[in-house]
């Protein structure tokens, strides 16, 4: 038997098939013994390869997708943002930024909420209600909006060209949120006492703040700022 | 956060599975935490692409959530999940990749460098005994997709040729031949890598 013929049988030998003529060749050929040993070593090593870890935020994507599909109950804080996270591709570099983003976003949106006088939320007197809506509500919403516009402007100014890909990714969700904000704000203009619309508007502002913060943090994260 | 007993130790997997079957979100997360490495590694090795592997790991766990009520404990949970994950990746490949990497195409081709070369000074048993598993992992990534699939399914994941033949829609002979060529190719890559060091 020649080495070339042995080569075609070596796979079968590793599978445990008996080929007496191949054994005879092995006894006399150092090269083929080495090849067979090495193929066997590869087979053995393949059984204990190291495990790899998925992207650290993969669970967030899975959870968001499972919630969207109704496979898991909606935990507090998910909803639109969770869906947005599940759309994003795996980007390990954003993991830290995303965690920080959530903290900062909470701070960002809680600022105007905490600043809102309690009387404007639970007014006791109908006259007070009218007054508080006239005085407080426009100022509250406009402050919110001005604040977000300022953040958006700054984020877009500061983002580097490398961020184009991320900006592209968030462009669609951002557009959806902006449209929803516009619609809800018009609804509120027509029906200023529509508390559901107001609640929805605040929720939308929060979502926008979250996306903006994600963009800002991704720049800072990458640039080491 | 993984479900824990009152003394702080982890619950047995069978309890976690039962809870997940009842829709307990924490139990699902615990199953993810326990099995993510194995499922992701399987996806990564079969696909050779980290982003796609993330996507397929996501799909495998979603599939797990959808089907966990059908798990009856006839096989080990890890085996069941493993099989489910392989199916998810194969479905993905069938839709996107397999038409481009026909098994028959790669199996019959005698590509240059396929066979065992006799090289001067190459008779030292460098690969035996202390085979570098990280280098082997890198080498697997370099395999052509058809070879990689059979090698990963057989040598890494432990499927039999008859199972692989059914999964990939090829003959048992094709699977064996593909595997042998994959091993030869890997040997070549590993020797090359060793020489470069």
């Amino acid at each position: 038997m020649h080495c070339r013929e042995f080569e075609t049988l070596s796979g079968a030998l590793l599978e445990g098939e008996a080929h007496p003529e191949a054994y005879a060749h092995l006894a006399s050929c150092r090269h083929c013994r080495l090849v067979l040993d090495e193929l066997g070593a590869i087979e053995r090593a393949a059984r204990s390869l190291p495990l790899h870890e998925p992207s650290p935020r993969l669970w967030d994507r899975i959870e968001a997708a499972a919630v969207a599909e109704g496979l898991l109950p909606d935990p507090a804080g998910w909803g639109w943002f969770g869906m947005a996270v599940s759309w994003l591709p795996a980007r390990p570099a954003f993991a830290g930024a995303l965690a920080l983003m959530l903290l900062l976003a909470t701070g960002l949106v809680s600022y105007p909420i905490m600043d809102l006088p309690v009387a404007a939320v639970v007014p006791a007197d109908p006259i007070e209600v009218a007054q508080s809506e006239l005085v407080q509500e426009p100022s509250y919403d406009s402050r919110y909006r001005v604040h977000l516009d300022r953040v958006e402007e700054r984020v877009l100014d500061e983002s580097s060209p490398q961020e184009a890909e991320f900006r592209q990714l968030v462009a669609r969700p951002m557009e959806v949120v902006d449209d929803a904000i516009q619609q809800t704000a018009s609804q509120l203009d027509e029906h200023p006492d529509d508390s559901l619309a107001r609640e929805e508007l605040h929720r939308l502002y929060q979502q926008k703040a979250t996306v903006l913060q994600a963009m800002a943090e991704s720049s800072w994260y990458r640039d080491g700022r | 956060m993984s479900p824990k007993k009152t003394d702080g130790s982890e619950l047995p997997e069978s309890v976690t599975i039962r809870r997940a079957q009842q829709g307990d979100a924490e139990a699902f997360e615990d199953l993810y935490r326990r099995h993510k490495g194995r499922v992701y590694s399987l996806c990564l090795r079969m696909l050779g692409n980290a982003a796609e592997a993330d996507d397929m790991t996501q799909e495998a766990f979603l599939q797990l959530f959808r089907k966990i009520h059908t798990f009856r404990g006839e096989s080990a949970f890890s085996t069941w999940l493993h099989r489910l994950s392989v199916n998810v990746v194969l479905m993905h490949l069938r839709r996107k990749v397999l038409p481009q990497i026909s098994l028959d195409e790669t199996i019959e081709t005698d590509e240059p460098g396929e066979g065992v070369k006799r090289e001067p000074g190459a008779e030292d048993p460098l690969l035996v005994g202390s085979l570098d598993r990280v280098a082997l992992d890198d080498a697997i990534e370099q395999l052509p997709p058809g070879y990689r699939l059979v090698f990963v399914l057989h040598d890494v994941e432990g499927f039999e040729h008859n199972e692989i033949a059914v999964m990939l829609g090829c003959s048992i002979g094709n699977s064996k031949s593909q595997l042998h060529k994959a091993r030869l190719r890997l040997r070549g890559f590993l020797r090359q890598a060793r020489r470069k060091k």
Side-chain angles (χ1 to χ4, degrees):
Chain A
M1 178 180 275
H2 296 292
C3 295
R4 191 76 186 168
E5 288 172 76
F6 177 83
E7 186 197 320
T8 58
L9 281 177
S10 57
L13 287 180
L14 287 169
E15 292 285 317
E17 290 178 23
H19 290 276
E21 68 279 22
Y23 298 136
H25 175 77
L26 262 187
S28 62
C29 180
R30 185 172 177 264
H31 171 77
C32 287
R33 273 204 306 276
L34 175 72
V35 172
L36 193 68
D37 283 349
E38 291 187 345
L39 293 178
I42 289 170
E43 186 195 3
R44 284 189 298 279
R47 286 183 215 138
S48 54
L49 288 174
L51 287 184
H52 296 271
E53 286 297 306
S55 147
R57 66 189 185 91
L58 185 61
W59 171 249
D60 292 340
R61 284 173 53 194
I62 293 173
E63 189 177 34
V67 167
E69 214 182 297
L71 297 166
L72 289 180
D74 192 354
W78 281 110
W80 179 90
F81 177 65
M83 306 262 295
V85 168
S86 73
W87 295 342
L88 298 177
R91 298 281 299 271
F94 290 139
L98 280 167
L100 193 55
M101 167 199 82
L102 287 170
L103 287 173
L104 292 174
T106 308
L108 180 71
V109 295
S110 62
Y111 153 69
I113 290 169
M114 287 165 69
D115 218 24
L116 184 69
V118 178
V121 181
V122 202
D125 185 87
I127 298 167
E128 253 185 62
V129 173
Q131 281 175 343
S132 68
E133 277 184 0
L134 278 173
V135 179
Q136 300 289 347
E137 298 291 359
S139 127
Y140 168 54
D141 285 345
S142 61
R143 269 167 50 206
Y144 220 136
R145 195 160 208 164
V146 166
H147 189 71
L148 277 181
D149 287 347
R150 232 181 269 149
V151 172
E152 183 169 17
E153 208 176 21
R154 216 186 77 200
V155 166
L156 295 180
D157 277 355
E158 288 187 359
S159 63
S160 60
Q162 291 90 334
E163 293 302 306
E165 192 191 342
F166 185 58
R167 281 170 61 180
Q168 231 174 352
L169 271 170
V170 296
R172 198 166 76 86
M174 188 73 102
E175 208 177 75
V176 172
V177 176
D178 280 339
D179 283 351
I181 285 176
Q182 211 169 0
Q183 278 176 18
T184 317
S186 318
Q187 170 93 0
L188 262 180
D189 285 346
E190 285 173 31
H191 307 283
D193 54 350
D194 185 341
S195 60
L196 279 179
R198 189 166 300 284
E199 210 174 287
E200 177 64 5
L201 184 65
H202 297 164
R203 194 181 66 80
L204 290 165
Y205 280 147
Q206 184 168 2
Q207 285 171 357
K208 180 160 179 168
T210 306
V211 175
L212 285 172
Q213 210 63 42
M215 292 174 73
E217 286 309 308
S218 70
S219 288
W220 295 334
Y221 187 79
R222 197 170 295 176
D223 299 345
R225 273 183 270 181
Chain B
M1 188 63 72
S2 71
K4 300 225 165 125
K5 289 194 223 166
T6 44
D7 63 359
S9 61
E10 274 191 17
L11 289 170
E13 190 171 67
S14 56
V15 177
T16 309
I17 292 166
R18 237 188 347 266
R19 284 187 173 186
Q21 285 175 326
Q22 289 158 3
D24 181 334
E26 269 190 32
F28 278 123
E29 188 172 356
D30 186 38
L31 288 177
Y32 171 77
R33 192 185 50 74
R34 288 179 197 236
H35 295 279
K36 63 179 178 175
R38 183 128 192 260
V39 171
Y40 176 74
S41 300
L42 165 75
C43 296
L44 182 63
R45 290 194 180 107
M46 285 178 80
L47 296 161
N49 174 304
E52 256 189 301
D54 262 353
D55 288 346
M56 287 306 104
T57 304
Q58 171 170 338
E59 191 46 42
F61 278 98
L62 286 175
Q63 199 62 332
L64 164 72
F65 297 170
R66 289 180 200 121
K67 294 191 165 177
I68 193 156
H69 63 279
T70 66
F71 176 69
R72 296 275 171 262
E74 285 142 7
S75 58
F77 179 74
S78 58
T79 312
W80 183 76
L81 174 58
H82 189 227
R83 170 73 72 154
L84 179 149
S85 308
V86 168
N87 287 343
V88 164
V89 176
L90 287 177
M91 284 301 290
H92 170 74
L93 288 174
R94 211 160 283 159
R95 278 195 305 270
K96 298 200 164 179
V97 187
L98 277 181
Q100 297 159 28
I101 50 146
S102 156
L103 287 176
D104 291 333
E105 204 176 289
T106 42
I107 198 163
E108 300 305 339
T109 315
D110 234 355
E111 294 174 41
E114 189 87 318
V116 177
K117 282 185 200 162
R118 279 181 177 278
E119 296 156 13
E123 297 295 305
D124 51 330
L126 286 175
L127 302 177
V128 185
S130 61
L131 202 144
D132 179 351
R133 281 161 177 77
V134 175
L136 176 59
D137 223 3
D138 292 343
I140 293 170
E141 215 179 302
Q142 295 174 55
L143 282 174
Y147 289 177
R148 189 169 63 227
L149 265 186
V150 176
F151 180 81
V152 170
L153 289 173
H154 188 278
D155 278 7
V156 181
E157 303 298 335
F159 287 97
E160 299 293 336
H161 284 296
N162 56 343
E163 295 175 292
I164 296 170
V166 172
M167 284 179 199
L168 301 183
C170 64
S171 68
I172 292 177
N174 272 5
S175 174
K176 285 184 178 177
S177 163
Q178 194 98 337
L179 174 67
H180 184 50
K181 289 184 177 182
R183 286 177 183 155
L184 290 174
R185 192 66 83 87
L186 286 172
R187 177 181 176 268
F189 289 149
L190 289 167
R191 282 199 157 268
Q192 223 170 36
R194 188 66 74 101
R195 271 199 302 275
K196 277 182 192 163
K197 276 187 184 172

